[in-house]
Coordinates of all heavy atoms in Angstrom, one line a residue:
M1 N 90.3 143.5 138.2 CA 91.4 142.9 139.1 C 91.9 144.0 140.1 O 92.1 145.1 139.8 CB 92.6 142.6 138.0 CG 93.7 141.9 138.7 SD 95.1 141.6 137.5 CE 94.5 140.4 136.5
S2 N 92.2 143.4 141.3 CA 92.6 144.4 142.3 C 94.0 144.8 142.2 O 94.9 144.1 141.5 CB 92.3 143.8 143.7 OG 93.3 142.7 143.9
D3 N 94.5 145.9 142.9 CA 95.9 146.3 142.9 C 96.8 145.1 143.4 O 97.8 144.9 142.7 CB 96.1 147.4 143.8 CG 95.6 148.7 143.1 OD1 95.3 148.6 141.9 OD2 95.6 149.8 143.8
S4 N 96.3 144.4 144.4 CA 97.2 143.4 145.0 C 97.4 142.2 144.0 O 98.5 141.6 144.0 CB 96.7 142.9 146.3 OG 95.4 142.3 146.1
E5 N 96.4 141.9 143.2 CA 96.5 140.8 142.2 C 97.5 141.3 141.1 O 98.3 140.5 140.6 CB 95.2 140.5 141.6 CG 94.3 139.6 142.5 CD 92.9 139.4 142.0 OE1 92.3 140.3 141.6 OE2 92.5 138.3 141.9
E6 N 97.3 142.6 140.7 CA 98.2 143.0 139.7 C 99.7 143.1 140.1 O 100.5 142.8 139.2 CB 97.9 144.5 139.3 CG 96.7 144.6 138.3 CD 96.4 146.1 138.0 OE1 97.3 146.9 138.2 OE2 95.2 146.2 137.6
D7 N 100.0 143.3 141.4 CA 101.3 143.4 141.9 C 101.9 142.1 142.3 O 103.0 142.0 142.5 CB 101.4 144.3 143.1 CG 101.0 145.7 142.8 OD1 101.0 146.0 141.6 OD2 100.7 146.6 143.7
S8 N 101.1 141.0 142.1 CA 101.6 139.7 142.6 C 102.7 139.2 141.7 O 102.6 139.4 140.4 CB 100.5 138.7 142.8 OG 100.1 138.3 141.5
Q9 N 103.7 138.5 142.2 CA 104.8 138.0 141.4 C 104.7 136.5 141.5 O 104.5 135.9 142.6 CB 106.1 138.4 141.9 CG 106.3 139.9 141.9 CD 107.7 140.2 142.5 OE1 108.7 139.7 142.0 NE2 107.7 141.0 143.5
D10 N 105.0 135.7 140.4 CA 105.0 134.3 140.5 C 106.4 133.8 140.2 O 107.1 134.3 139.3 CB 104.1 133.8 139.3 CG 102.7 133.9 139.7 OD1 102.3 134.1 140.9 OD2 101.9 133.9 138.8
K11 N 106.8 132.9 141.0 CA 108.2 132.3 140.9 C 108.1 130.8 140.9 O 107.1 130.2 141.5 CB 109.2 132.6 142.0 CG 109.4 134.1 142.2 CD 110.7 134.5 141.6 CE 111.0 135.9 141.7 NZ 111.5 136.6 140.6
Q12 N 108.9 130.1 140.3 CA 108.9 128.6 140.3 C 110.3 128.2 140.7 O 111.3 128.6 140.2 CB 108.7 128.1 138.9 CG 108.3 126.6 139.0 CD 107.8 126.0 137.7 OE1 108.5 125.6 136.8 NE2 106.5 126.0 137.5
L13 N 110.4 127.3 141.7 CA 111.7 126.9 142.3 C 111.6 125.3 142.3 O 110.6 124.7 142.4 CB 111.8 127.4 143.7 CG 112.0 128.8 143.9 CD1 112.1 129.2 145.3 CD2 113.3 129.4 143.2
K14 N 112.8 124.7 142.1 CA 112.9 123.3 142.1 C 113.6 122.8 143.3 O 114.7 123.4 143.7 CB 113.6 122.8 140.9 CG 112.8 122.9 139.6 CD 113.6 122.4 138.4 CE 112.8 122.8 137.2 NZ 113.6 123.3 136.1
I15 N 113.2 121.8 144.0 CA 113.8 121.2 145.1 C 114.1 119.7 144.7 O 113.2 119.0 144.3 CB 113.0 121.2 146.4 CG1 112.7 122.6 146.8 CG2 113.8 120.5 147.5 CD1 111.7 122.7 147.9
V16 N 115.3 119.3 144.7 CA 115.7 117.9 144.4 C 116.1 117.1 145.7 O 116.9 117.6 146.4 CB 116.8 117.9 143.3 CG1 117.2 116.4 143.1 CG2 116.5 118.6 142.1
V17 N 115.3 116.1 145.9 CA 115.6 115.2 147.1 C 116.3 114.0 146.6 O 115.9 113.2 145.9 CB 114.2 114.8 147.8 CG1 114.4 114.1 149.0 CG2 113.3 116.1 148.0
I18 N 117.6 113.9 147.2 CA 118.4 112.7 146.9 C 118.9 112.1 148.3 O 118.9 112.9 149.2 CB 119.6 113.0 146.0 CG1 120.4 114.2 146.5 CG2 119.1 113.3 144.6 CD1 121.6 114.4 145.7
G19 N 119.1 110.9 148.3 CA 119.7 110.2 149.5 C 119.7 108.7 149.3 O 119.2 108.2 148.3
D20 N 120.1 108.0 150.3 CA 120.2 106.5 150.3 C 118.7 106.0 150.1 O 117.7 106.6 150.4 CB 120.7 106.0 151.6 CG 122.2 106.3 151.8 OD1 122.8 106.7 150.7 OD2 122.7 106.2 152.9
G21 N 118.7 104.8 149.5 CA 117.4 104.0 149.4 C 116.7 103.9 150.8 O 117.3 103.6 151.7
A22 N 115.4 104.0 150.8 CA 114.6 103.8 151.9 C 115.0 104.8 153.1 O 114.8 104.4 154.3 CB 114.6 102.3 152.4
S23 N 115.5 105.9 152.7 CA 115.9 106.8 153.8 C 114.8 107.8 154.2 O 115.0 108.6 155.1 CB 117.2 107.6 153.3 OG 117.0 108.4 152.2
G24 N 113.8 107.8 153.3 CA 112.6 108.7 153.7 C 112.4 109.8 152.8 O 111.6 110.8 153.0
K25 N 113.0 109.8 151.6 CA 112.8 110.9 150.6 C 111.4 111.1 150.1 O 110.9 112.2 150.1 CB 113.7 110.7 149.3 CG 115.2 110.5 149.7 CD 116.0 110.2 148.5 CE 115.7 108.9 147.7 NZ 116.0 107.7 148.6
T26 N 110.8 110.1 149.7 CA 109.4 110.1 149.2 C 108.4 110.6 150.3 O 107.4 111.4 150.2 CB 108.9 108.8 148.7 OG1 109.8 108.5 147.6 CG2 107.5 108.9 148.1
S27 N 108.7 110.0 151.5 CA 107.9 110.4 152.7 C 108.0 111.9 153.0 O 107.0 112.5 153.3 CB 108.3 109.6 154.1 OG 108.3 108.3 153.8
L28 N 109.2 112.4 152.9 CA 109.5 113.8 153.1 C 108.7 114.7 152.1 O 108.0 115.7 152.4 CB 111.0 114.1 153.1 CG 111.5 115.3 153.6 CD1 111.3 115.5 155.0 CD2 113.0 115.5 153.2
A29 N 108.8 114.2 150.8 CA 108.3 114.9 149.7 C 106.7 115.0 149.8 O 106.0 116.0 149.6 CB 108.7 114.3 148.4
T30 N 106.1 113.7 150.1 CA 104.7 113.7 150.2 C 104.1 114.4 151.4 O 103.1 115.1 151.5 CB 104.1 112.3 150.2 OG1 104.9 111.5 151.2 CG2 104.3 111.6 148.9
R31 N 104.9 114.4 152.5 CA 104.5 115.1 153.7 C 104.5 116.6 153.5 O 103.6 117.4 153.9 CB 105.4 114.8 154.9 CG 105.1 115.4 156.2 CD 103.8 114.8 156.8 NE 103.4 115.7 158.0 CZ 102.7 116.8 157.9 NH1 102.4 117.3 156.8 NH2 102.4 117.3 159.1
F32 N 105.5 117.1 152.8 CA 105.6 118.5 152.4 C 104.5 118.9 151.4 O 103.9 120.0 151.7 CB 107.0 118.8 151.9 CG 107.2 120.2 151.5 CD1 107.2 121.2 152.4 CD2 107.3 120.5 150.1 CE1 107.3 122.5 152.0 CE2 107.5 121.8 149.8 CZ 107.5 122.8 150.7
A33 N 104.5 118.2 150.3 CA 103.6 118.6 149.2 C 102.1 118.3 149.4 O 101.3 119.0 149.0 CB 104.1 118.0 147.9
Q34 N 101.8 117.1 150.1 CA 100.5 116.6 150.2 C 99.9 116.6 151.6 O 98.8 116.0 151.8 CB 100.4 115.3 149.4 CG 100.7 115.4 148.0 CD 100.8 114.0 147.2 OE1 100.8 113.0 148.0 NE2 100.8 114.0 146.0
E35 N 100.8 116.8 152.5 CA 100.5 116.7 154.0 C 99.9 115.3 154.3 O 99.0 115.2 155.0 CB 99.5 117.9 154.3 CG 100.2 119.1 154.2 CD 99.4 120.4 154.6 OE1 98.3 120.2 155.3 OE2 99.7 121.5 154.2
A36 N 100.7 114.4 153.7 CA 100.3 113.0 154.0 C 101.5 112.1 154.2 O 102.6 112.5 153.9 CB 99.6 112.4 152.7
F37 N 101.3 111.1 155.0 CA 102.4 110.2 155.4 C 102.0 108.8 155.3 O 101.0 108.4 155.9 CB 103.0 110.5 156.7 CG 104.1 109.6 157.1 CD1 105.4 109.8 156.8 CD2 103.9 108.5 158.0 CE1 106.4 108.9 157.1 CE2 104.9 107.6 158.4 CZ 106.2 107.8 157.9
G38 N 102.7 107.9 154.5 CA 102.3 106.5 154.3 C 103.3 105.7 155.0 O 104.5 105.9 154.8
K39 N 102.9 104.7 155.8 CA 103.8 103.8 156.5 C 104.4 102.8 155.6 O 105.4 102.3 155.9 CB 103.2 103.2 157.6 CG 102.9 104.2 158.9 CD 102.5 103.6 160.1 CE 102.3 104.5 161.2 NZ 101.5 104.0 162.3
Q40 N 103.7 102.5 154.5 CA 104.2 101.4 153.6 C 105.1 101.9 152.7 O 105.1 102.9 152.1 CB 102.9 100.9 152.8 CG 103.0 99.5 152.3 CD 101.7 98.8 152.3 OE1 100.7 99.3 152.4 NE2 101.8 97.5 152.1
Y41 N 106.2 101.0 152.6 CA 107.4 101.3 151.8 C 107.1 100.9 150.3 O 106.9 99.7 150.1 CB 108.6 100.7 152.3 CG 109.9 100.8 151.3 CD1 110.3 102.2 151.0 CD2 110.7 99.7 150.9 CE1 111.3 102.2 150.1 CE2 111.7 99.9 150.1 CZ 112.1 101.2 149.7 OH 113.2 101.3 148.8
K42 N 107.3 101.8 149.3 CA 107.2 101.4 148.0 C 108.4 102.1 147.2 O 108.4 103.4 147.2 CB 106.0 102.0 147.3 CG 105.7 101.4 145.9 CD 104.3 101.7 145.5 CE 104.2 101.5 144.0 NZ 103.6 102.7 143.3
Q43 N 109.3 101.4 146.7 CA 110.5 102.0 146.1 C 110.2 102.9 144.9 O 109.4 102.6 144.1 CB 111.5 100.9 145.7 CG 112.8 101.5 145.1 CD 113.7 100.3 144.6 OE1 113.3 99.2 144.4 NE2 114.9 100.6 144.4
T44 N 110.9 104.1 144.9 CA 110.6 105.0 143.7 C 111.5 104.6 142.6 O 112.7 104.3 142.8 CB 111.0 106.4 144.3 OG1 110.3 106.8 145.3 CG2 110.8 107.4 143.1
I45 N 110.9 104.3 141.6 CA 111.7 104.0 140.3 C 111.8 105.2 139.4 O 110.8 105.9 139.1 CB 110.9 102.9 139.6 CG1 110.6 101.7 140.4 CG2 111.7 102.4 138.3 CD1 111.7 100.9 140.9
G46 N 113.0 105.6 139.2 CA 113.3 106.8 138.3 C 113.0 108.1 139.1 O 113.7 108.4 140.1
L47 N 111.9 108.8 138.8 CA 111.7 110.2 139.3 C 110.3 110.4 139.5 O 109.4 110.2 138.6 CB 112.4 111.1 138.3 CG 112.1 112.6 138.4 CD1 112.8 113.2 139.7 CD2 112.8 113.3 137.2
D48 N 109.9 111.0 140.6 CA 108.5 111.5 140.8 C 108.5 113.0 141.1 O 109.5 113.6 141.6 CB 107.9 110.8 142.1 CG 107.3 109.4 141.8 OD1 107.1 109.2 140.7 OD2 107.1 108.7 142.8
F49 N 107.4 113.6 140.7 CA 107.3 115.1 140.9 C 106.2 115.4 141.8 O 105.1 114.7 141.8 CB 106.9 115.8 139.6 CG 107.9 115.8 138.5 CD1 108.0 114.8 137.6 CD2 109.0 116.6 138.5 CE1 109.0 114.7 136.6 CE2 110.0 116.7 137.5 CZ 109.9 115.7 136.6
F50 N 106.4 116.4 142.6 CA 105.3 116.9 143.5 C 105.2 118.4 143.3 O 106.3 119.0 143.2 CB 105.5 116.6 145.0 CG 105.5 115.1 145.2 CD1 106.7 114.3 145.2 CD2 104.4 114.4 145.6 CE1 106.8 113.0 145.4 CE2 104.4 113.1 145.8 CZ 105.6 112.4 145.8
L51 N 104.1 119.0 143.4 CA 104.0 120.5 143.3 C 103.4 121.0 144.5 O 102.4 120.4 145.1 CB 103.1 120.9 142.1 CG 103.6 120.7 140.7 CD1 102.5 121.2 139.7 CD2 104.9 121.5 140.6
K52 N 103.9 122.1 145.0 CA 103.3 122.9 146.1 C 103.3 124.3 145.9 O 104.3 124.8 145.5 CB 104.1 122.5 147.3 CG 103.7 123.3 148.6 CD 103.3 122.4 149.7 CE 103.0 123.2 150.9 NZ 102.2 122.4 151.9
R53 N 102.2 124.9 146.0 CA 102.2 126.4 145.9 C 102.1 127.1 147.2 O 101.4 126.7 148.2 CB 100.9 126.8 145.1 CG 100.9 126.4 143.7 CD 99.9 127.2 142.9 NE 100.2 127.0 141.5 CZ 99.9 125.9 140.9 NH1 99.1 124.9 141.5 NH2 100.2 125.7 139.7
I54 N 103.0 128.0 147.4 CA 103.1 128.8 148.6 C 103.0 130.3 148.4 O 103.4 130.7 147.3 CB 104.2 128.4 149.6 CG1 105.5 128.6 148.9 CG2 104.1 127.0 150.1 CD1 106.7 128.5 149.8
S55 N 102.5 131.0 149.4 CA 102.4 132.5 149.2 C 103.3 133.1 150.2 O 103.3 132.7 151.5 CB 101.1 133.1 149.4 OG 100.2 132.6 148.4
L56 N 104.3 133.9 149.8 CA 105.2 134.5 150.7 C 104.9 136.0 150.9 O 104.1 136.6 150.0 CB 106.7 134.5 150.2 CG 107.2 133.1 150.0 CD1 108.6 133.1 149.4 CD2 107.3 132.3 151.4
P57 N 105.3 136.6 152.0 CA 105.1 138.0 152.2 C 105.6 138.8 151.0 O 106.6 138.4 150.4 CB 105.9 138.4 153.4 CG 106.0 137.0 154.2 CD 106.1 136.1 153.1
G58 N 104.9 139.9 150.7 CA 105.3 140.8 149.6 C 104.6 140.3 148.3 O 105.1 140.6 147.2
N59 N 103.4 139.7 148.5 CA 102.7 139.3 147.4 C 103.4 138.3 146.3 O 103.3 138.4 145.1 CB 102.1 140.5 146.6 CG 100.7 140.3 146.2 OD1 100.1 139.1 146.4 ND2 100.1 141.2 145.5
L60 N 104.3 137.5 147.0 CA 105.1 136.6 146.1 C 104.5 135.1 146.2 O 104.4 134.5 147.2 CB 106.6 136.5 146.6 CG 107.6 135.8 145.9 CD1 107.7 136.3 144.5 CD2 108.9 135.9 146.5
N61 N 104.1 134.7 145.0 CA 103.4 133.3 144.9 C 104.6 132.4 144.4 O 105.1 132.7 143.2 CB 102.3 133.2 144.0 CG 101.2 134.2 144.5 OD1 100.9 134.1 145.8 ND2 100.6 135.0 143.7
V62 N 104.9 131.4 145.1 CA 106.0 130.4 144.6 C 105.4 129.1 144.3 O 104.6 128.5 145.2 CB 107.0 130.4 145.7 CG1 108.2 129.4 145.2 CG2 107.5 131.7 146.0
T63 N 105.7 128.6 143.2 CA 105.4 127.1 142.9 C 106.6 126.3 143.1 O 107.6 126.5 142.5 CB 104.8 126.9 141.5 OG1 103.7 127.8 141.3 CG2 104.5 125.5 141.2
L64 N 106.6 125.4 144.1 CA 107.7 124.6 144.3 C 107.6 123.2 143.7 O 106.5 122.6 143.8 CB 107.9 124.3 145.9 CG 108.2 125.5 146.8 CD1 108.0 125.2 148.2 CD2 109.6 126.0 146.5
Q65 N 108.5 122.9 142.9 CA 108.5 121.6 142.2 C 109.5 120.7 142.9 O 110.7 121.0 142.9 CB 109.1 121.8 140.8 CG 108.3 121.2 139.7 CD 109.1 121.4 138.4 OE1 110.1 121.0 138.1 NE2 108.5 122.3 137.5
V66 N 108.9 119.6 143.6 CA 109.8 118.8 144.4 C 110.1 117.5 143.5 O 109.2 116.8 143.1 CB 109.1 118.4 145.7 CG1 110.0 117.5 146.4 CG2 108.7 119.6 146.5
W67 N 111.3 117.3 143.3 CA 111.8 116.1 142.5 C 112.3 115.1 143.4 O 113.2 115.3 144.1 CB 112.9 116.5 141.6 CG 112.6 117.4 140.4 CD1 111.5 118.3 140.4 CD2 113.3 117.6 139.2 NE1 111.6 118.9 139.1 CE2 112.6 118.6 138.5 CE3 114.5 117.0 138.7 CZ2 113.0 119.0 137.2 CZ3 114.9 117.5 137.5 CH2 114.2 118.4 136.7
D68 N 111.5 114.0 143.5 CA 111.9 112.9 144.4 C 112.5 111.8 143.6 O 112.0 111.2 142.6 CB 110.5 112.4 145.0 CG 110.7 111.0 145.7 OD1 111.8 110.9 146.3 OD2 109.7 110.3 145.9
I69 N 113.9 111.6 143.8 CA 114.7 110.8 142.9 C 114.8 109.4 143.5 O 115.0 109.2 144.7 CB 116.2 111.4 142.9 CG1 116.1 112.9 142.5 CG2 117.0 110.6 141.9 CD1 115.9 113.2 141.0
G70 N 114.7 108.4 142.6 CA 114.8 107.0 143.0 C 116.3 106.6 143.0 O 117.2 107.6 143.1
E71 N 116.7 105.4 142.9 CA 118.1 105.0 142.9 C 118.9 105.7 141.8 O 118.4 105.8 140.6 CB 118.2 103.5 142.7 CG 119.6 103.0 143.0 CD 119.5 101.4 143.0 OE1 118.4 100.8 142.8 OE2 120.7 100.9 143.0
I72 N 120.0 106.2 142.1 CA 120.8 107.0 141.1 C 121.6 105.9 140.3 O 122.4 105.2 140.8 CB 121.8 108.0 141.7 CG1 121.0 109.0 142.5 CG2 122.7 108.5 140.7 CD1 121.9 110.0 143.2
P73 N 121.4 105.8 139.0 CA 121.9 104.7 138.2 C 123.3 104.9 137.6 O 123.7 104.2 136.7 CB 120.9 104.6 137.0 CG 120.4 106.0 136.8 CD 120.5 106.7 138.2
C74 N 124.0 105.9 138.2 CA 125.4 106.2 137.6 C 126.1 107.0 138.8 O 125.7 107.1 139.9 CB 125.3 107.1 136.3 SG 124.3 108.7 136.7
S75 N 127.3 107.6 138.4 CA 128.1 108.2 139.5 C 127.4 109.5 139.8 O 126.6 110.1 139.0 CB 129.4 108.5 138.9 OG 129.4 109.6 138.0
F76 N 127.7 110.0 141.0 CA 127.0 111.2 141.5 C 127.3 112.3 140.5 O 126.4 113.2 140.2 CB 127.5 111.5 142.9 CG 126.6 112.6 143.6 CD1 125.3 112.4 143.9 CD2 127.3 113.9 143.7 CE1 124.6 113.5 144.5 CE2 126.5 114.9 144.3 CZ 125.2 114.7 144.6
S77 N 128.5 112.5 140.0 CA 128.9 113.7 139.3 C 128.2 113.6 137.9 O 127.7 114.6 137.4 CB 130.4 113.8 139.0 OG 130.8 112.6 138.6
N78 N 128.0 112.4 137.3 CA 127.2 112.3 136.1 C 125.8 112.5 136.3 O 125.1 113.1 135.4 CB 127.4 110.8 135.5 CG 128.7 110.6 134.8 OD1 129.4 111.7 134.4 ND2 129.1 109.4 134.6
F79 N 125.4 112.2 137.5 CA 123.9 112.4 137.8 C 123.6 113.9 137.9 O 122.6 114.4 137.4 CB 123.6 111.7 139.1 CG 122.2 111.9 139.5 CD1 121.1 111.4 138.8 CD2 121.9 112.7 140.6 CE1 119.9 111.6 139.2 CE2 120.6 113.0 141.0 CZ 119.5 112.4 140.3
I80 N 124.6 114.7 138.5 CA 124.4 116.1 138.5 C 124.3 116.8 137.1 O 123.5 117.6 136.8 CB 125.5 116.8 139.4 CG1 125.4 116.2 140.8 CG2 125.4 118.3 139.3 CD1 124.2 116.6 141.5
I81 N 125.1 116.3 136.2 CA 125.2 116.7 134.8 C 123.8 116.4 134.2 O 123.1 117.2 133.6 CB 126.3 116.1 134.0 CG1 127.7 116.6 134.5 CG2 126.2 116.4 132.6 CD1 128.8 115.8 134.1
F82 N 123.4 115.1 134.4 CA 122.1 114.7 133.9 C 120.9 115.6 134.4 O 120.0 116.1 133.7 CB 121.8 113.3 134.3 CG 120.4 112.7 134.1 CD1 119.9 112.6 132.9 CD2 119.6 112.5 135.2 CE1 118.6 112.0 132.7 CE2 118.3 112.1 135.0 CZ 117.8 111.8 133.8
L83 N 121.0 115.9 135.8 CA 119.9 116.7 136.4 C 119.8 118.1 135.8 O 118.7 118.6 135.5 CB 120.2 116.8 137.9 CG 119.5 116.0 138.8 CD1 119.8 116.5 140.2 CD2 118.0 115.9 138.6
N84 N 121.0 118.7 135.6 CA 121.2 119.9 135.0 C 120.6 120.0 133.7 O 119.9 121.0 133.3 CB 122.7 120.3 134.9 CG 122.9 121.8 135.0 OD1 122.0 122.5 135.4 ND2 124.1 122.2 134.7
K85 N 120.8 119.0 132.8 CA 120.2 118.9 131.5 C 118.7 118.8 131.5 O 118.0 119.5 130.8 CB 120.8 117.7 130.7 CG 122.3 118.1 130.2 CD 122.8 117.0 129.3 CE 124.2 117.4 128.9 NZ 124.9 116.3 128.4
I86 N 118.2 117.9 132.3 CA 116.7 117.7 132.3 C 116.0 119.0 133.0 O 114.8 119.3 132.6 CB 116.2 116.4 132.9 CG1 116.6 116.2 134.3 CG2 116.6 115.3 132.0 CD1 115.9 115.1 134.9
S87 N 116.7 119.6 133.8 CA 116.2 120.8 134.5 C 115.9 121.8 133.4 O 114.9 122.6 133.5 CB 117.2 121.2 135.6 OG 116.8 122.5 136.1
K88 N 116.8 122.0 132.5 CA 116.5 123.0 131.4 C 115.4 122.7 130.6 O 114.8 123.6 130.0 CB 117.9 123.1 130.6 CG 119.0 123.9 131.3 CD 120.2 123.9 130.6 CE 121.3 124.4 131.5 NZ 122.6 124.0 131.2
C89 N 115.0 121.5 130.4 CA 113.9 121.0 129.6 C 112.5 121.3 130.3 O 111.5 121.1 129.7 CB 114.0 119.5 129.3 SG 115.4 119.1 128.4
T90 N 112.6 121.5 131.7 CA 111.3 121.5 132.4 C 111.0 122.9 132.9 O 110.2 123.1 133.7 CB 111.3 120.6 133.6 OG1 112.4 120.9 134.5 CG2 111.5 119.1 133.2
N91 N 111.7 123.9 132.3 CA 111.4 125.2 132.7 C 110.2 125.8 132.0 O 109.9 125.4 131.0 CB 112.6 126.2 132.4 CG 113.6 126.1 133.4 OD1 113.4 125.7 134.6 ND2 114.9 126.3 133.1
Ligands
LIG1 N1 109.4 105.9 161.6 C1 109.6 106.6 160.6 N2 109.5 106.0 159.4 C2 109.8 106.7 158.3 C3 110.1 108.0 158.3 N3 110.3 108.5 157.1 C4 109.9 107.4 156.3 N4 109.7 106.3 157.0 C5 109.4 105.0 156.5 O1 110.6 104.5 155.9 C6 110.2 103.7 154.7 C7 110.9 104.2 153.4 O2 110.4 105.6 153.2 P1 110.4 106.2 151.8 O3 110.1 107.6 151.9 O4 109.7 105.4 150.8 O5 112.0 106.0 151.4 P2 112.8 106.6 150.0 O6 114.0 107.2 150.4 O7 111.8 107.4 149.2 O8 113.1 105.2 149.3 P3 113.5 104.9 147.8 O9 112.3 105.4 146.9 O10 113.7 103.4 147.7 O11 114.8 105.6 147.6 C8 108.6 103.8 154.5 O12 108.1 102.6 155.1 C9 108.3 105.0 155.4 O13 107.0 104.9 156.0 C10 110.2 108.7 159.6 O14 110.5 109.8 159.8 N5 110.0 107.9 160.6
LIG2 MG1 111.1 107.0 147.2

């Protein structure tokens, strides 16, 4: 193993995409994570995940977990509590 591989650091970050229905959340997530854009609309039910690995200067490897949220089935404040809870289960 080379020195640079030994020194590399791995981090995992989550990005949660929320917004009005059909506002372009899934398009944004797929464009970012898969470099693809589909013109056809398909409503997101529940939650979709996308992964993207990026390398930052300083030998820092980051795995971005993009959470693409469908319609929020409760109040926004309850939803934040819910997100916080499931976030702890996916570390
Ligand atoms: N012209 C244009 N169309 C877009 C853009 N972003 C998304 N769309 C279109 O808008 C529609 C809805 O996009 P989605 O990304 O599925 O929207 P969403 O917010 O994920 O929708 P929900 O899952 O129902 O919440 C799709 O037909 C996309 O192709 C954009 O920047 N420009
Ligand atoms: Mg969607």
